[in-house]
Amino acid sequence: MKTDQDGLASVEDVMALAAQLSSVAGAIHERALTAIRAPADAALGEDERQRAFALLDDELLLRQHVHALYLDAARAVVKGLGQPQQHVLDLTADAAEKIRKITVIANITGLVAALVGLAGAAASGVPGTVSLALKGVRDHIKALKAQ
């Protein structure tokens, strides 16, 4: 029997996470394109533009993990996660919002890497790996809030 602490314990839960991570990938894409399209004389500079191109690579990797989650949702069910599904979805929604609003791309590269790690961990189906990945996302969001 599924309890409130069994996030990702059903195919539907994994599919919901995949959909949320797809939304995060969309936010990464939008934010990176905004920086890339900025005028050459913009205050952000060339270094920021290069980081934006690197974010597009991370976006692609995240989307690959998302596609794997969709394809292997039944296999990727994570039993005994110890975290409610809504917490997992709220955390990734918060991450997407931070990505959309951040002004300096360098400040979100760690968060993006943590989200890619979460997608890969979810696909592994190992509760401990997913829990650590969720902690990494949560820690990066806290760090961004502190800035």
Side-chain angles (χ1 to χ4, degrees):
M1 181 170 108
K2 183 177 174 185
T3 71
D4 188 44
Q5 296 299 307
D6 284 338
L8 303 180
S10 71
V11 172
E12 292 78 17
D13 289 351
V14 174
M15 298 281 283
L17 175 62
Q20 188 66 45
L21 288 170
S22 183
S23 175
V24 169
I28 292 168
H29 186 83
E30 290 173 23
R31 182 59 190 89
L33 288 184
T34 298
I36 290 167
R37 292 178 180 153
D41 62 344
L44 296 178
E46 187 59 29
D47 191 42
E48 188 74 355
R49 187 172 276 105
Q50 292 305 313
R51 285 189 177 109
F53 280 112
L55 275 184
L56 290 177
D57 292 338
D58 290 337
E59 175 210 355
L60 179 61
L61 184 58
L62 181 58
R63 288 189 190 277
Q64 289 171 341
H65 284 306
V66 166
H67 292 304
L69 281 175
Y70 278 127
L71 291 173
D72 297 333
R75 184 189 59 77
V77 168
V78 180
K79 303 268 185 202
L81 181 58
Q83 307 230 3
Q85 174 70 3
Q86 193 57 50
H87 171 74
V88 174
L89 296 179
D90 289 346
L91 189 64
T92 53
D94 193 17
E97 191 62 23
K98 296 287 179 268
I99 289 166
R100 282 187 192 94
K101 292 183 175 181
I102 200 77
T103 56
V104 179
I105 287 179
N107 293 345
I108 61 167
T109 56
L111 175 58
V112 170
L115 288 161
V116 170
L118 173 60
S124 79
V126 178
T129 304
V130 176
S131 292
L132 284 173
L134 285 168
K135 182 183 180 320
V137 171
R138 191 172 28 257
D139 290 349
H140 280 89
I141 289 172
K142 284 180 185 176
L144 287 172
K145 287 180 180 177
Q147 292 180 358

